[in-house]
């Protein structure tokens, strides 16, 4: 009974999060990203425990996901594929948007999708999805080295990400 209650609460939380993410139909144009000084800066961790600052001294690709999202697994695989072509030139960060998903669960999800090379962060207070205007999971945002948004897409393919990164000088 206790497990059933916990499962129901988790499902209700996930549903509420999904509704809050999809209820804002506004879309944002590339280049309309927040000023990095307005609270979009954060630190992610690699699986080796190294810190990755965003924005940092190089461009970044942020991929907003949840381990419960069916399309997010393939998205993390695409991001890891692009990372293999230019690992040192760009920060590649998977941002988990579900506050109840643990770091261990995130690591397991990334490893299961061949993406354990990605740094990750957990947006436990919705600060990042709010600051970046994320209204759908499986969204990728490319930032130049200064933290200005230059590209945004839902479920982009590797070619789209490489083209966006080339525009930042990191391609």
């Amino acid at each position: 009974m206790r497990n059933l209650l916990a499962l129901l609460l988790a499902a209700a939380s996930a549903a509420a999060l999904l509704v809050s993410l999809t209820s804002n139909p506004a879309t944002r144009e590339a280049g309309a990203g927040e000023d990095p000084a307005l609270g979009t800066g954060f630190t992610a961790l690699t699986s080796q425990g190294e810190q990755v600052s965003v924005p940092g001294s190089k461009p970044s690709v942020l991929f907003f996901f949840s381990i419960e999202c069916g399309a997010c697994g393939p998205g993390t695989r695409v991001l890891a594929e692009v990372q293999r072509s230019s690992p040192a030139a760009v920060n590649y960060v998977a941002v988990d948007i579900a506050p109840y998903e643990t770091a261990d669960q995130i690591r397991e999800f990334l490893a299961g999708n061949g993406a354990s090379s990605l740094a990750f962060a957990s947006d436990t207070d919705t600060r990042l999805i709010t600051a970046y205007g994320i209204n759908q999971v499986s969204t990728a945002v490319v930032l130049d080295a200064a933290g200005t948004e230059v590209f945004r897409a839902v479920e982009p393919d590797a070619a789209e990400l490489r083209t966006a990164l080339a525009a930042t000088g990191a391609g």
Side-chain angles (χ1 to χ4, degrees), residues 88-125:
V90 177
N91 292 321
Y92 296 90
V93 180
V95 180
D96 188 289
I97 58 136
Y100 50 85
E101 294 174 352
T102 67
D104 287 340
Q105 290 172 320
I106 295 167
R107 282 187 199 95
E108 183 178 319
F109 172 82
L110 293 174
N113 284 289
S116 54
S117 60
L118 301 176
F120 68 91
S122 185
D123 189 19
T124 58
D125 60 3

Side-chain angles (χ1 to χ4, degrees), residues 53 56-61 89-92 142-147 165 168-171:
S53 295
S57 59
K58 53 189 171 182
S60 299
V61 181
V90 177
N91 292 321
Y92 296 90
V142 177
L143 308 172
D144 65 14
L165 288 170
T168 69

Side-chain angles (χ1 to χ4, degrees), residues 38-86:
L38 296 178
T40 58
F42 66 98
T43 302
L45 293 175
T46 67
S47 59
Q48 296 80 27
E50 299 168 3
Q51 293 188 346
V52 175
S53 295
V54 176
S57 59
K58 53 189 171 182
S60 299
V61 181
L62 310 179
F63 182 74
F64 292 86
F65 78 103
S66 167
I67 63 174
E68 297 172 336
C69 161
C72 294
T76 57
R77 289 192 293 273
V78 166
L79 191 56
E81 173 190 334
V82 174
Q83 182 185 37
R84 286 189 289 277
S85 64
S86 61

